[in-house]
Amino acid sequence: MKIFMIGEAANHAGILAASLQQPHEIVPLSREAAQSDAHDGLIGAGDVVISLRLKRTGNPFPPVRLLHVPGAGLDGIDFGSLAPDTAICNVFEHEIPIAEYVLSAMLEWEIRAVEMRRTFTPETWPDVYRERVPHGEIYGKTLCVVGFGRIGRAIATRAKAFGMRILALDAYAGDLGPADEILPPQELDRLLPEVDYLVLACPLTKATTGLIGKAQLVAMKPTAVLINISRAEIADEASLFEALAQKTIGGACLDVWYRYPAGSSDRVEPSSFPFHTLENAVCTPHSSAWTRQLPQRRYAFIAENLNRLARGEPLRNVVRAPGAGPAK
Amino acid sequence: MKIFMIGEAANHAGILAASLQQPHEIVPLSREAAQSDAHDGLIGAGDVVISLRLKRTGNPFPPVRLLHVPGAGLDGIDFGSLAPDTAICNVFEHEIPIAEYVLSAMLEWEIRAVEMRRTFTPETWPDVYRERVPHGEIYGKTLCVVGFGRIGRAIATRAKAFGMRILALDAYAGDLGPADEILPPQELDRLLPEVDYLVLACPLTKATTGLIGKAQLVAMKPTAVLINISRAEIADEASLFEALAQKTIGGACLDVWYRYPAGSSDRVEPSSFPFHTLENAVCTPHSSAWTRQLPQRRYAFIAENLNRLARGEPLRNVVRAPGAGPAK
């Protein structure tokens, strides 16, 4: 069994190799191999491919045992380009850093440590100490998590330990877990007036595009904070900017944006609106999941799946079982 | 039963009154009443006093049913100034904001959202997105909490939900709670090489003064972070400054200081060393517990204790039962 690592995945061959129980030949391929058949002669039916992208317009990709996507999203994979017998697996682990980012955002919103540090010097100390301005707490506040999948649950688990009240909105209820209630998405408008922190953790679909629009922002508390770590378009761009500029809501922590650079020299602004100029908007560059530990965990997980494959055991995180293709 | 509220306590009469089950006369007294007998004629044996401070050099304070301290610390109370039949109670609740502050400090240490925000503008967006620098996670890291009382446990409960490994150091083991291990204080030096975050949450005593000295700082990981929300003197001032300046340890988040202003016009610096000039020292002005919600919870707790007293039920948080005085 050879392991072909395409594009960025090849950077992590060392992590993968370190977690393999038996040695396999690891072959790095350039990112072009995701679209081009130039290297297909190297690839055999007993091999495995690791790639975030795979799409063929001419001949399909050669049959392999497994395509392991080294991320959660499957938008880079054309299922029709793969042989029906090729299994497809993906990998998560980003729920951990995203949940840490969300809790950090809520805590800093209440504590304002940045402001504490800014005003505190050896010279100001006696006055700052005597005139300390009290800050806030997340304890007892109501958190509404829109989308109660892995990410929503990881956020809720942590928030629960702080004594927050957790409302989860999801069409698929599943077990209650750390939530106080799981409610169907249609309940959103009814809940909004109770919510202190509204976290968007659902996928972007037709149903969730513009889910948070003018009516929802008006229904929110004037102190409420929107946190978006999913996809920008779930909150309507113009309505969100207006709500923040006019302080209809308390603020927003935004890690995802309305426009992304496409190539290596593309110049594009993150939004048509100057969110950065608003003092109640905390803007970060789609970094919530981007940790040093994420590839470590992801490639260790992939290696464990390859160990299972070698031992003939069932794979984890199967997106498409062998024989279930080619239709998505 | 009259309720005398001395000094700063009198500012919170409204919160107290709102939680009393039956009306009582509430009498505010100036802070001088803690030392002076000028108002003692007003105070009867069936009454209650709420004060952070009480010390008499001449005649003792008139006998009352209860002195309720509206904080945790009893250093402002001279037990010998009180009649033996006066019960003494205190109140906590600050473990909640302190735990939130500590988790926020650890998360920001890893995530560096301040730096993310600083470098992210509409103009820099394409480059920042393409060259994102990965940050860290608290997941899987080792937290050592020195002092496993209310504050240490509140920190550990929250940290556990993030998947941290929790080592608690305390002479009184108690139940394990959210800790992975509770160890006696003598184990500190042995544990230090394993610790990522060392949180000081023990009281200042002879045994804990200078507990973290040069030898301990040298034993810590070069990436380890010290967080002090207890009393500054638990970490030796000169040794801590040197360890930070020379980067023997990764950093420190310091909310407590070596010198405090005594009066309303006292000028004093927080330390003899310029901690503020160190980029690896996060310095805040003894604010971790200072939230809007803290007096709300504390005076609601005191009111509930007064309701218990009126109903003849046992009091909560009894520091000294009636008849146990006057010796401390």
Side-chain angles (χ1 to χ4, degrees), chain B residues 20-316:
Chain B
L20 289 173
Q21 270 179 342
Q22 56 190 80
H24 298 285
E25 188 182 345
I26 297 177
V27 185
L29 294 177
S30 71
R31 57 180 293 167
E32 284 67 37
Q35 289 103 40
S36 146
D37 60 5
H39 304 281
D40 285 2
L42 300 169
I43 301 170
D47 294 339
V48 163
V49 174
I50 302 174
S51 182
L52 268 176
R53 289 180 189 76
L54 216 144
K55 184 180 174 68
R56 290 296 169 83
T57 45
N59 292 327
F61 195 77
V64 291
R65 291 174 79 182
L66 170 66
L67 168 69
H68 212 307
V69 181
L74 300 164
D75 39 314
I77 308 298
D78 175 42
F79 283 48
S81 296
L82 289 161
D85 282 347
T86 298
I88 305 175
C89 291
N90 70 347
V91 60
F92 299 94
E93 308 296 332
H94 57 323
E95 65 270 25
I96 293 171
I98 293 175
E100 294 194 1
Y101 173 96
V102 169
L103 268 292
S104 185
M106 291 193 291
L107 288 165
E108 175 56 20
W109 190 267
E110 296 288 348
I111 297 174
R112 310 259 165 192
V114 171
E115 184 63 11
M116 280 183 202
R117 291 181 70 182
R118 196 185 62 75
T119 56
F120 173 38
T121 68
E123 295 70 37
T124 63
W125 165 233
D127 300 319
V128 166
Y129 179 67
R130 283 186 288 255
E131 292 149 30
R132 285 173 295 177
V133 179
H135 58 270
E137 298 176 357
I138 62 172
Y139 174 83
K141 294 253 163 62
T142 297
L143 167 67
C144 178
V145 183
V146 180
F148 206 48
R150 286 172 187 264
I151 295 171
R153 285 174 183 267
I155 294 165
T157 298
R158 289 156 178 80
K160 192 71 195 165
F162 284 84
M164 296 187 88
R165 173 179 172 231
I166 318 275
L167 306 176
L169 275 194
D170 204 298
Y172 310 96
D175 69 296
L176 200 56
D180 292 290
E181 290 184 71
I182 303 180
L183 298 145
Q186 304 88 281
E187 295 288 306
L188 175 64
D189 288 10
R190 189 182 63 77
L191 295 180
L192 283 172
E194 298 175 36
V195 173
D196 296 301
Y197 288 93
L198 180 67
V199 177
L200 306 182
C202 55
L204 180 67
T205 65
K206 275 185 190 170
T208 64
T209 300
L211 182 71
I212 307 301
K214 190 178 172 70
Q216 288 69 37
L217 291 158
V218 166
M220 288 168 72
K221 287 185 184 182
T223 53
V225 178
L226 175 78
I227 301 178
N228 196 351
I229 44 73
S230 176
R231 290 292 178 267
E233 295 80 0
I234 299 168
D236 179 71
E237 190 173 3
S239 304
L240 179 58
F241 183 81
E242 189 189 2
L244 290 167
Q246 301 193 356
K247 303 195 177 171
T248 313
I249 64 171
C253 302
L254 305 172
D255 190 48
V256 288
W257 294 97
Y258 296 92
R259 269 162 290 286
Y260 284 76
S264 60
S265 61
D266 192 20
R267 306 307 304 177
V268 63
E269 296 206 345
S271 168
S272 309
F273 296 87
F275 282 95
H276 290 74
T277 63
L278 301 173
E279 54 87 23
N280 58 350
V282 176
C283 304
T284 56
H286 203 131
S287 296
S288 68
W290 200 256
T291 61
R292 296 184 292 278
Q293 291 83 3
L294 183 65
Q296 298 283 338
R297 274 197 303 277
R298 283 185 163 174
Y299 284 89
F301 181 97
I302 294 171
E304 177 51 24
N305 246 356
L306 301 189
N307 293 335
R308 286 168 173 264
L309 192 68
R311 293 192 303 257
E313 295 172 10
L315 298 173
R316 293 169 65 199

Side-chain angles (χ1 to χ4, degrees), chain A residues 8 12-13 43 49-50 70 115 126 128 146 151 164 246 271 300 320:
Chain A
E8 197 270 344
H12 305 287
I43 301 171
V49 174
I50 302 174
E115 185 63 10
V128 166
V146 180
I151 295 171
M164 296 187 88
Q246 301 193 358
S271 168
R320 192 187 80 171

Side-chain angles (χ1 to χ4, degrees), chain A residues 24-36:
Chain A
H24 299 284
E25 188 182 343
I26 298 178
V27 186
L29 294 177
S30 71
R31 57 181 290 167
E32 284 67 37
Q35 289 102 41
S36 146

